[in-house]
Amino acid sequence: MSDKLIDAANAVRARAYAPYSDFQVGAALRSVEGHVHVGCNVENVAYPEGTCAEAGAIAAMIAAGDTRIAEIAVIANASAPVPPCGGCRQKIAEFAAGDVVVTMATTSGATLSMTVAQLLPGRFDAGHMDVAGGAT
């Protein structure tokens, strides 16, 4: 299924809004329900205010009513496969089990696949928010 996701990610990557960096990124994920959701990076002149492709695909998934990621692909116009940034790794981990495969690809055909657990070992999750004796 990752070839279909890479194709979908590449199609949306071409629509990325990246006038400042010219670093276009596309992401496509398949939810456990079998639906494909896509996102692309959207830059902003106030640089930290941009949105990553992975975050856009996750937002599209949630907006469509799906809640869990079964597989995700990310593609960039780079010389080597680019992993999701730290914030996106945490976002992916919020909606994906540790064994979910993340395929990173380039527009020239290189790929690298890793699991969510490999990308984000020791991930922070809701269990870390439990406090002894209840809320503080």
Side-chain angles (χ1 to χ4, degrees), residues 2-136:
S2 63
D3 285 345
K4 179 180 176 183
L5 288 181
I6 291 169
D7 290 344
N10 198 37
V12 75
R13 181 200 61 80
R15 295 191 296 270
Y17 180 74
Y20 308 106
S21 70
D22 196 34
F23 188 69
Q24 297 174 310
V25 181
L29 64 84
R30 181 176 49 83
S31 66
V32 297
E33 294 83 4
H35 304 124
V36 173
H37 305 281
V38 298
C40 60
N41 61 314
V42 178
E43 294 180 349
N44 188 289
V45 70
Y47 227 47
E49 298 304 318
T51 303
C52 295
E54 301 90 333
I58 291 168
M61 176 186 74
I62 296 300
D66 294 345
T67 59
R68 301 295 299 162
I69 299 170
E71 182 181 15
I72 187 167
V74 181
I75 189 168
N77 56 338
S79 58
V82 178
C85 72
C88 284
R89 291 177 195 209
Q90 185 65 45
K91 288 175 181 76
I92 292 167
E94 181 78 12
F95 300 100
D99 62 350
V100 166
V101 174
V102 179
T103 301
M104 297 150 279
T106 67
T107 54
S108 62
T111 62
L112 173 65
S113 294
M114 300 176 76
T115 65
V116 171
Q118 289 171 317
L119 281 172
L120 189 62
R123 75 188 224 181
F124 181 81
D125 63 26
H128 292 102
M129 298 178 67
D130 290 342
V131 277
T136 58

